[in-house]
Amino acid sequence: MSASAASLRHDWTLDEVRALFELPFNDLLFQAHVVHRQHFDPNRVQVSTLLSIKTGACPEDCKYCSQSGHHNTGLDKAKLMEVQKVIRAAAEAKAIGSTRFCMGAAWKHPSAKDMPYVLEMVKGVKALGLETCMTLGTLSREQTQALAEAGLDYYNHNLDTSPEFYGNIVTTRTYAERLETLAHVREAGMKICSGGILGMGESLDDRAGLLIQLANLPEHPESVPINMLVKVKGTPLENAEDVDPFDFIRTLAVARIMMPRSHVRLSAGRSEMNEQMQALAFFAGANSIFYGERLLTTGNPEAEKDMRLFARLGIRPEEREEHADEVHQAAIEQALIEQKNSALFYDATSA
């Protein structure tokens, strides 16, 4: 373990985290911003695009989710997308500046018949020169190994909230199962994207408890999405109380202090945030966003609007090490040719 990794803490207590939340707002933001500058360029933000590759009819009963088969939200259901369509969407995301392409499927877990298509998606998106991320539900050890071998960089599996409050939000999957999937992902050598949601009726201690669970993992998640609940009509949380904007910024700041080398993502709910709130979020240590018009099934600020805000704040998207444009174009064309010639190309949606 490197000296910098060894200096990261994995032994946070509830009293310590409560004390951070209770700091005067300016003191907390100052401390978080200092930590942020120690580990990141404060004027760079990592940009990802998220695509729903299989929508609706999920057997999980998550109270916040529009895709749960337990709720009547009027969502149009869709089977698994064709591999080629996913790769084209990834190419479009790259063209507007995304460096990571995230694919989400509304499953409890991927089935054996779906896995070959999922693996081809990873390979195809990877060939474009993008970082790859997926969220597919619970994974077995064998499935995580297969995804790693296909080239998946990140796996998203949110803890949602504290262990104590979790049963109020989800009953079809346990907290222990979520932690087990994260352990499988680490064992396979992939990076972890894991965070939670604010605004589900949780207490301050629950918000602290969520961050403690994440920060006290053997390794901090490389990406920590902090979501503000998007209230969807037809879900049990459609009338939940709004999150106070200052409380949301406090949570981002505490996450930055506790996980100083992680990307903290300003995630769902950004459509409800004005530019001033987003600017405070970046100052508090948020340095990752989803980019594009949709987050799975809910709205997101348009890409051009994000770029205008970035320009006003002097922020630039993070860059990956890039090859020449013609090399990327050749990779795109080759990936599409390979998918077209594959038996998986035409019938993925019937899986």
Side-chain angles (χ1 to χ4, degrees), residues 39-339:
H39 298 281
F40 292 98
D41 181 337
N43 297 310
R44 290 276 189 171
V45 172
Q46 189 276 324
V47 175
S48 300
T49 294
L50 177 61
L51 175 71
S52 179
I53 59 173
K54 185 271 176 184
T55 304
C58 181
E60 304 281 18
D61 67 354
C62 309
K63 289 185 178 180
Y64 53 81
C65 188
S66 63
Q67 302 201 65
S68 171
H70 296 258
H71 315 320
N72 182 18
T73 62
L75 181 70
D76 291 333
K77 303 174 183 62
K79 294 182 179 180
L80 186 66
M81 287 180 67
E82 292 179 7
V83 174
Q84 178 263 355
K85 288 183 178 179
V86 172
I87 295 171
R88 287 194 184 279
E92 291 170 1
K94 181 179 174 63
I96 64 169
S98 288
T99 59
R100 186 180 307 161
F101 192 69
C102 306
M103 295 158 272
W107 288 324
K108 185 177 179 68
H109 53 76
S111 68
K113 70 177 182 178
D114 291 318
M115 279 299 291
Y117 304 104
V118 167
L119 298 176
E120 288 300 310
M121 291 174 190
V122 173
K123 293 174 185 177
V125 174
K126 188 81 169 179
L128 303 181
L130 287 163
E131 289 183 318
T132 53
C133 179
M134 281 192 158
T135 179
L136 311 170
T138 301
L139 294 179
S140 67
R141 182 174 280 107
E142 293 73 23
Q143 287 172 327
T144 52
Q145 289 291 343
L147 288 166
E149 290 169 8
L152 189 65
D153 297 300
Y154 285 81
Y155 193 73
N156 167 259
H157 201 58
N158 289 335
L159 295 181
D160 288 348
T161 187
S162 69
E164 294 77 16
F165 191 67
Y166 182 80
N168 295 296
I169 304 300
V170 185
T171 66
T172 51
R173 176 168 49 188
T174 68
Y175 213 82
E177 287 174 318
R178 287 186 183 260
L179 291 171
E180 183 179 50
T181 290
L182 293 181
H184 291 332
V185 171
R186 276 290 183 224
E187 289 171 11
M190 291 183 288
K191 296 174 182 178
I192 286 176
C193 174
S194 187
I197 305 171
L198 275 59
M200 301 188 294
E202 74 283 351
S203 67
L204 176 61
D205 279 1
D206 290 317
R207 293 174 186 175
L210 165 68
L211 297 180
I212 288 168
Q213 287 291 317
L214 294 167
N216 287 356
L217 289 170
E219 294 180 66
H220 293 169
E222 284 80 4
S223 182
V224 181
I226 303 296
N227 300 275
M228 187 166 71
L229 177 69
V230 177
K231 291 178 278 190
V232 178
K233 187 175 182 179
T235 65
L237 295 177
E238 64 174 299
N239 295 314
E241 185 176 345
D242 290 344
V243 178
D244 179 87
F246 292 116
D247 289 344
F248 187 86
I249 299 298
R250 281 182 181 276
T251 306
L252 289 173
V254 174
R256 166 54 63 219
I257 292 166
M258 294 174 68
M259 292 169 280
R261 296 181 66 86
S262 301
H263 278 79
V264 176
R265 178 175 294 142
L266 185 59
S267 200
R270 208 156 55 85
S271 295
E272 308 303 317
M273 302 177 193
N274 62 27
E275 291 184 337
Q276 292 77 14
M277 183 176 174
Q278 292 186 61
L280 265 182
F282 295 134
F283 186 84
N287 62 339
S288 178
I289 63 167
F290 277 124
Y291 187 59
E293 295 184 5
R294 296 195 70 75
L295 289 182
L296 293 180
T297 62
T298 57
N300 198 45
E302 295 178 1
E304 288 186 8
K305 186 176 180 181
D306 285 332
M307 288 300 101
R308 288 196 298 270
L309 177 59
F310 276 17
R312 292 174 68 191
L313 298 177
I315 287 174
R316 292 175 294 163
E318 276 189 6
E319 297 176 357
R320 296 191 68 209
E321 183 178 345
E322 297 288 350
H323 302 289
D325 288 344
E326 59 268 22
V327 175
H328 274 309
Q329 184 61 35
I332 292 170
E333 292 173 358
Q334 181 60 34
L336 292 174
I337 290 169
E338 290 176 359
Q339 296 303 330

